[in-house]
Amino acid sequence: INRGSLYDTFGDKRGLFQAAIAFYDDKVVRKAIAHLEAPGASKQAIVEHFLRLADLEDADCRGCLVTNAAVEMGIRDPDLHRQIAANLQRIEDAFFKALTRAQDKGEVAADVDTRSLARYFTCVMQGVRVMSRLRPDPLVLQSIVTVALSTLQAPEA
């Protein structure tokens, strides 16, 4: 692709980057949270999600495009900030739905604030992505995931 075609299609580098974020959201993030959004997905889907994160699925440890963009550029560009925030909201909502189903099934205590826990899980997920770049040690990542999953203790009988 030549420069003229690139700019005709995307306008500028910023437009290209925003299109890349949208593509990543549609292809990568959608796939990553599909199991959380599946009908009936609840506590086990959340556990499996975090266990996959701790297994260093990104063998080259590049992390997550959305996380990297948020850390590097999100605050300086209001449009990009909104795009990244919407992406993270989508992830939070997937956790929230799975947590709500888990609560309805009695897998999570009735008094748990599922929205706050969904936000926490979104934050931990992003943190694990950052740590996978800085310290790609499965034992370190597994310890983080273990602590995060400890918040899913079953309700007391």
Side-chain angles (χ1 to χ4, degrees):
I1 188 166
N2 65 45
R3 180 180 289 221
S5 297
L6 184 69
Y7 288 127
D8 286 345
T9 303
F10 299 104
D12 56 16
K13 289 180 194 177
R14 183 172 170 269
L16 174 61
F17 190 68
Q18 287 180 300
I21 294 284
F23 180 84
Y24 186 88
D25 182 47
D26 186 52
K27 301 298 182 198
V28 177
V29 174
R30 182 183 308 263
K31 182 180 175 185
I33 63 173
H35 60 283
L36 294 172
E37 295 178 321
S42 58
K43 182 178 178 176
Q44 189 59 37
I46 296 167
V47 169
E48 290 170 5
H49 179 84
F50 280 104
L51 293 177
R52 276 194 295 278
L53 280 176
D55 280 341
L56 285 175
E57 62 194 314
D58 287 328
D60 59 7
C61 300
R62 290 181 297 168
C64 168
L65 177 62
V66 171
T67 304
N68 296 342
V71 170
E72 294 173 21
M73 301 165 27
I75 201 162
R76 293 183 296 218
D77 184 325
D79 292 333
L80 185 58
H81 177 89
R82 280 189 288 281
Q83 190 176 9
I84 292 168
N87 178 281
L88 294 177
Q89 186 63 54
R90 181 175 175 188
I91 295 166
E92 178 188 315
D93 289 345
F95 278 123
F96 176 72
K97 290 173 190 170
L99 285 163
T100 300
R101 285 189 292 271
Q103 204 170 45
D104 292 345
K105 291 179 179 181
E107 298 171 342
V108 173
D111 63 345
V112 168
D113 179 349
T114 53
R115 180 53 72 182
S116 292
L117 191 53
R119 289 180 183 130
Y120 170 72
F121 283 154
T122 302
C123 181
V124 170
M125 186 185 90
Q126 297 307 98
V128 168
R129 294 282 192 193
V130 171
M131 289 296 289
S132 73
R133 287 187 74 183
L134 299 172
R135 261 184 99 181
D137 178 344
L139 295 177
V140 170
L141 301 179
Q142 288 168 0
S143 70
I144 295 166
V145 165
T146 297
V147 171
L149 292 176
S150 72
T151 63
L152 286 175
Q153 296 299 321
E156 295 191 23

